Amino acid sequence: MERINKETVQLHINEFATQEVYLHLETTNGAYASHFDESFFSASAYIRNAKITYENGKIAGDGPYRVGLKLDIGWVYGEGLTHFELDEEGRLLLAGHGPDGKLAIAMELSKTPFR
């Protein structure tokens, strides 16, 4: 993965628009941290292989970035994104890493289901 280039990522987001795609969206602030510190409040969200069609998508911010995908009846939104990759399978992988390098968010789009 490389640091987000806003213009490049926007082009990739546009390439997935107006067609059925699979979404993987995952956030965590350290699911296992509460095992080591009982006062730590752990929260996360996870969705995999949600089939969506978005009308348009937009990357915004100056870094970390946020990506919003406009659906027919709602939105998908991810924030805190720092890195991206278009992998060998043509999937757009976006990730957000904290200052400590730990993964905080993953937002991925694919034309085929994620395995």
Side-chain angles (χ1 to χ4, degrees), residues 1-6 9 12 59 63-67 79-86 91-108:
M1 299 193 99
E2 60 185 91
R3 289 209 161 270
I4 284 180
N5 174 296
K6 201 170 169 180
V9 170
H12 292 313
I59 184 168
Y65 300 91
R66 58 188 175 278
V67 168
E79 184 169 7
L81 300 162
T82 58
H83 292 78
F84 85 103
E85 176 182 345
L86 191 70
R91 303 177 300 190
L92 178 59
L93 313 177
L94 300 163
H97 299 276
D100 57 1
K102 292 181 181 173
L103 181 66
I105 181 170
M107 184 177 190
E108 303 173 350

Side-chain angles (χ1 to χ4, degrees), residues 11-13 15-16 19 21-22 54 85-94 108-112 114-115:
L11 289 173
H12 292 313
I13 290 170
E15 292 168 359
F16 285 90
Q19 58 187 304
V21 295
Y22 295 88
Y54 60 91
E85 176 182 345
L86 191 70
D87 74 1
E88 65 280 351
E89 296 181 42
R91 303 177 300 190
L92 178 59
L93 313 177
L94 300 163
E108 303 173 350
L109 296 170
S110 174
K111 294 179 182 176
T112 59
F114 292 97
R115 291 171 266 155

Side-chain angles (χ1 to χ4, degrees), residues 23-68:
L23 169 73
H24 173 86
L25 180 61
E26 180 175 0
T27 66
T28 182
N29 63 352
Y32 299 102
S34 59
H35 293 289
F36 303 107
D37 179 359
E38 292 181 7
S39 66
F40 184 83
F41 182 79
S42 178
S44 63
Y46 181 91
I47 185 168
R48 186 167 185 86
N49 286 325
K51 192 184 295 185
I52 66 169
T53 302
Y54 60 91
E55 299 168 6
N56 60 65
K58 177 100 175 149
I59 184 168
D62 297 319
Y65 300 91
R66 58 188 175 278
V67 168

